[in-house]
Amino acid sequence: MPAWLRRPGVRVLLSYGLAVVSVVAAFLAARTFLYFHLPLAIMAFSFCAIAITFWYGGIGPGILALVLAVLIRTFFFQPEVDWISRVAYDFVFLLFSFFMLQATRAKNELESRVVKRTAALTKANEDLRLENTERKRAEQALQENITALKSALDEIQVLKDQLYKENLALREEIDVNRMFEEIVGSSPALQTVLLRVAKVAPTDSTVLISGETGTGKELIARAIHKRSHRSSRAFVSVNCAAIPKDLIASELFGHEKGAFTGATQRRLGRFESADGGTIFLDEVGELPVEMQIALLRVLQEREFQRVGGNETLRTDVRVVAATNRDLNATIAEGKFREDLFYRLNVFPVEVPPLRERREDIPLLVEYFVDRYATQAGKKITGITKKSMELLQSYKWPGNIRELQNVIERSVIICESENLSVDESWLLRPLPVSDASTQPFFEKLATQEREMIEAALAESNGKVSGPSGAAAKLGIPQSTLDSKIKTLKINKQRFRRA
């Protein structure tokens, strides 16, 4: 339909024009039928004109068609008809027009409903189409969000594991009971060790540190780590002698949930925590044989499995081990694997005992005095000459750890600016002849016995507590009880009435 026909004014004019045209056409047709002597044709054609106008033109044009039909029929076709017939004819026209009016109204209402319903359905279809489009977009966005969420969860898990490793390493570093915080000394024996540390630190070679207890083997291991390219990653320390045999596999390699009673969740082992960094295996000679095999596999293949798991995990970790035992003798006794020894002993570093670096004792004493005086809030400017001579002449079987304990104890009871050391705290050195003839382990046992007996004597035979022998020696109570039992020391004879 042309645009001009859709204008409201034009459509109204056409509707009324339809009324005029239809009535004129009806009476022209009726005039024609009069020649055939059909007088009622005017009625039939008038009804048709009125019906057509009402139906296609609307109510207003239909009423106009009624009026025109009545006028033309009255004045042009049947002027001689009496008034009763006219009224009857007019009533019939009105009645027919009334019905056409109702039919037109019903048609218009139906058309309006159809238009509204069509518009509503069109809008609903459009809304449905938009909703489908939005739903597809939402599903696509949801899928993208799910993918991103999975990626984020994976990243969170990786970061969680990494955080666990770093926290574990941090706790280990905070909780570790280090002998001292810095390497103190300038003796040739110590400088030789530091020179070897400087050479091996930049490499990834496995290092085996040997030396008596209390010489600072862990400090040497930390120095190796700090001077290596792994210094920005974790340094994880494991005391192999302090972990129960049935838990050491889980401690080193981790376990899966349900691997054993009490394993309520997956746990990362120390090797996973130290990935990319350094793991320090202290007292490696105390490892049970089955764990020596597992450690050998890690050193050879760089892979392991968690306890209760089937997944083989790769590890990039540098191993630094330490022992105060004679591993060659342990190998001869069948308690340590020879192949593991050769894997660990790639670069040996032997830490000298304190009696072989006596020139470092004044520096160490000054360091410890300053440290513990600061902690105690005391001002101590020096140490008596007699005490210094006494410290330098002593054999120090407990090495730096024993010296540290003696200095800390002396600072606690010091009441002046000059520190003095109680001579009774120091064990007498062994005769030279005995030291030269006794086997290595017998010498260690003898020195250990003397240290324990001296501590028991000082603590009145008491093992536990702040003033007990365990605290004075700087070792756990359970360890001291075990050593007392092994060495068959009678604690009761040190109790004073």
Side-chain angles (χ1 to χ4, degrees):
M1 182 184 295
W4 62 275
L5 289 178
R6 290 197 293 269
R7 296 176 182 174
V10 174
R11 296 188 65 176
V12 170
L13 290 176
L14 289 176
S15 298
Y16 283 99
L18 176 63
V20 175
V21 171
S22 61
V23 171
V24 171
F27 283 102
L28 289 177
R31 176 77 60 184
T32 303
F33 274 79
L34 286 177
Y35 290 108
F36 300 100
H37 305 286
L38 295 173
L40 295 179
I42 182 61
M43 297 292 292
F45 284 112
S46 295
F47 287 151
C48 289
I50 293 171
I52 290 171
T53 305
F54 267 107
W55 191 260
Y56 292 104
I59 295 176
I63 295 173
L64 177 61
L66 170 65
V67 173
L68 291 176
V70 170
L71 292 175
I72 293 175
R73 180 191 59 76
T74 301
F75 294 104
F76 292 97
F77 278 86
Q78 296 176 335
E80 72 282 359
V81 176
D82 60 281
W83 65 272
I84 296 177
S85 298
R86 289 180 182 176
V87 171
Y89 286 140
D90 291 342
F91 178 75
V92 171
F93 273 100
L94 288 173
L95 186 62
F96 178 75
S97 297
F98 175 75
F99 287 128
M100 287 305 303
L101 175 64
Q102 297 302 321
T104 301
R105 285 178 176 175
K107 179 182 79 74
N108 291 341
E109 184 177 354
L110 180 61
E111 287 180 348
S112 176
R113 288 182 179 180
V114 169
V115 170
K116 291 180 180 179
R117 185 60 178 168
T118 302
L121 289 175
T122 302
K123 187 177 184 303
N125 287 334
E126 183 66 21
D127 292 342
L128 183 60
R129 186 182 66 81
L130 293 175
E131 183 179 350
N132 288 335
T133 303
E134 291 297 327
R135 182 176 59 80
K136 290 180 179 178
R137 291 178 182 174
E139 288 178 352
Q140 183 178 1
L142 179 61
Q143 189 63 37
E144 292 176 355
N145 290 336
I146 291 175
T147 303
L149 182 60
K150 288 181 178 178
S151 177
L153 288 175
D154 292 340
E155 185 177 356
I156 288 173
Q157 186 61 42
V158 171
L159 293 175
K160 183 179 178 181
D161 290 345
Q162 183 66 29
L163 183 61
Y164 175 82
K165 296 176 185 179
E166 293 177 356
N167 284 343
L168 183 62
L170 183 59
R171 286 199 302 270
E172 287 294 328
E173 187 168 353
I174 293 175
D175 295 338
V176 68
N177 186 16
R178 292 181 293 176
M179 303 315 109
F180 47 96
E181 298 175 351
E182 298 177 357
I183 298 176
V184 178
S186 58
S187 63
L190 180 60
Q191 293 304 314
T192 300
V193 172
L194 296 181
L195 180 61
R196 292 180 64 81
V197 168
K199 289 181 178 179
V200 74
T203 71
D204 274 339
S205 299
T206 303
V207 180
L208 178 61
I209 305 173
S210 59
E212 297 177 10
T213 181
T215 53
K217 295 186 289 296
E218 182 172 349
L219 191 63
I220 297 299
R222 290 180 180 273
I224 292 173
H225 172 72
K226 289 179 180 179
R227 299 195 62 165
S228 71
H229 63 88
R230 299 173 180 266
S231 59
S232 61
R233 305 303 296 270
F235 177 89
V236 178
S237 177
V238 183
N239 189 335
C240 301
I243 305 173
K245 292 183 179 180
D246 55 345
L247 294 179
I248 193 166
S250 171
E251 191 70 23
L252 290 179
F253 306 123
H255 63 254
E256 297 291 347
K257 182 179 180 180
F260 51 83
T261 303
T264 57
Q265 60 183 0
R266 189 187 72 174
R267 184 179 186 277
L268 300 183
R270 300 301 182 92
F271 271 93
E272 283 186 86
S273 301
D275 190 43
T278 303
I279 186 168
F280 174 58
L281 302 177
D282 197 9
E283 304 298 344
V284 70
E286 304 295 334
L287 283 176
V289 176
E290 58 271 16
M291 285 310 304
Q292 295 178 26
I293 298 173
L295 178 58
L296 181 62
R297 181 188 177 191
V298 174
L299 293 173
Q300 289 177 338
E301 310 296 336
R302 297 291 177 180
E303 62 185 25
F304 63 92
Q305 290 181 343
R306 297 192 189 102
V307 176
N310 298 320
E311 181 184 4
T312 299
L313 303 174
R314 300 286 300 175
T315 182
D316 173 27
V317 62
R318 182 181 192 174
V319 176
V320 178
T323 181
N324 60 4
R325 302 179 63 178
D326 184 357
L327 291 185
N328 287 314
T330 310
I331 292 172
E333 295 172 3
K335 296 181 180 179
F336 199 82
R337 294 179 62 92
E338 188 175 10
D339 49 0
L340 176 58
F341 172 73
Y342 292 128
R343 282 285 178 182
L344 292 172
N345 199 37
V346 175
F347 193 91
V349 175
E350 184 174 358
V351 183
L354 185 56
R355 60 182 172 273
E356 294 181 6
R357 38 181 292 213
R358 295 182 184 277
E359 54 268 51
D360 290 335
I361 291 178
L363 295 177
L364 288 167
V365 170
E366 181 183 354
Y367 174 79
F368 287 133
V369 167
D370 181 68
R371 175 179 174 180
Y372 292 117
T374 301
Q375 291 180 3
K378 295 183 177 182
K379 182 179 180 181
I380 300 177
T381 58
I383 183 172
T384 63
K385 182 179 179 181
K386 180 180 178 181
S387 295
M388 181 60 74
E389 291 175 351
L390 181 64
L391 294 175
Q392 287 186 296
S393 64
Y394 181 55
K395 291 285 188 178
W396 295 112
N399 293 292
I400 299 174
R401 182 184 293 117
E402 185 183 5
L403 173 62
Q404 176 186 4
N405 293 340
V406 169
I407 298 301
E408 182 177 7
R409 196 181 314 151
S410 301
V411 169
I412 291 173
I413 66 173
C414 181
E415 299 294 341
S416 64
E417 293 186 356
N418 286 327
L419 184 74
S420 60
V421 177
D422 191 337
E423 186 175 353
S424 64
W425 293 345
L426 302 180
L427 298 177
R428 292 301 177 185
L430 295 174
V432 178
S433 58
D434 292 343
S436 61
T437 58
Q438 281 184 310
F440 178 73
F441 286 108
E442 290 183 8
K443 289 193 294 182
L444 285 181
T446 302
Q447 292 174 355
E448 199 169 41
R449 173 187 289 275
E450 292 178 353
M451 288 177 60
I452 293 173
E453 289 179 347
L456 287 171
E458 184 181 344
S459 61
N460 193 21
K462 187 178 179 183
V463 176
S464 61
S467 61
K472 295 180 182 299
L473 293 174
I475 61 176
Q477 176 190 344
S478 58
T479 303
L480 182 56
D481 286 334
S482 176
K483 291 183 179 294
I484 290 173
K485 184 177 180 181
T486 302
L487 297 173
K488 298 179 181 179
I489 298 174
N490 183 9
K491 296 184 291 183
Q492 301 301 325
R493 67 188 181 90
F494 296 101
R495 295 187 182 276
R496 296 189 294 271

